Amino acid sequence: SSGTFKPDGSLARDTPASTPAARAPSALPTAEVNKAVLARYTEFRKLESRAYSSNDPGQLPTVATDPILTETTRNIEDQQSRSEVWRYTTVSNAKVYARSQDGLTVYVIDCLRTLAAYRYSLKTGKRTAGGPGVAYRYRTAVRYDQGTWKVSETVRDKRC
């Protein structure tokens, strides 16, 4: 047989130990995983802002996975259909606060402060909405997906 006997009675194919999914992230020290997760979270926030300001979600798949990828892409396409763009500036204070038992999902908590957010019409170039921002606490799941960390979900909580 091409499978191996597992203690639970099932047959499963051997996966080579050299594949990235087999080694990481459990093979890395916690501090190194936290650093990598926070870097990817920061990159997600940067690319998300760029996508909203340019109406181009093309780079988001490198840092996000479903369901947030689909949701953000839909929002940007809706914004584009109205000939609008959002431009905003945020300040992040992200920290790792939990992880799943299998270690493949790390949860980040962030008091994300929006300094200013404005919506502009692409037809007139004029500001149509927005103003000074506020700060909200966000809880975000960052999942290990195909050899890299990607944001998969985020929930906005109370003000912080």
Side-chain angles (χ1 to χ4, degrees):
S1 156
S2 61
T4 59
F5 179 75
K6 309 265 299 186
D8 65 358
S10 67
L11 289 175
R13 294 193 189 280
D14 285 328
T15 55
S18 62
T19 63
R23 287 184 289 131
S26 59
L28 299 173
T30 302
E32 198 171 319
V33 170
N34 290 352
K35 184 177 177 181
V37 166
L38 290 173
R40 293 300 285 178
Y41 173 79
T42 301
E43 184 71 11
F44 167 76
R45 289 293 177 198
K46 183 176 107 184
L47 290 179
E48 178 192 42
S49 175
R50 188 179 302 155
Y52 274 106
S53 68
S54 67
N55 281 341
D56 181 13
Q59 292 183 331
L60 286 177
T62 63
V63 292
T65 186
D66 284 329
I68 198 164
L69 177 60
T70 300
E71 179 184 325
T72 305
T73 301
R74 276 191 203 135
N75 288 342
I76 291 170
E77 288 169 350
D78 182 51
Q79 171 181 285
Q80 187 175 27
S81 72
R82 292 189 316 262
S83 295
E84 297 175 336
V85 293
W86 270 106
R87 298 224 167 97
Y88 56 88
T89 302
T90 57
V91 176
S92 176
N93 186 23
K95 294 175 178 53
V96 170
Y97 78 96
R99 59 186 19 88
S100 63
Q101 284 187 331
D102 63 5
L104 296 177
T105 304
V106 176
Y107 300 95
V108 174
I109 192 164
D110 189 3
C111 179
L112 193 63
R113 179 172 304 278
T114 302
L115 301 178
Y118 295 101
R119 182 173 33 209
Y120 293 91
S121 167
L122 292 174
K123 293 177 183 174
T124 66
K126 294 186 179 185
R127 195 182 297 172
T128 60
V134 295
Y136 283 99
R137 182 174 301 122
Y138 285 85
R139 290 177 291 131
T140 303
V142 183
R143 175 174 284 285
Y144 194 74
D145 180 54
Q146 299 178 359
T148 189
W149 293 100
K150 293 184 178 183
V151 171
S152 63
E153 294 182 73
T154 191
V155 176
R156 186 174 86 175
D157 286 334
K158 303 179 209 174
R159 286 181 156 196
C160 56

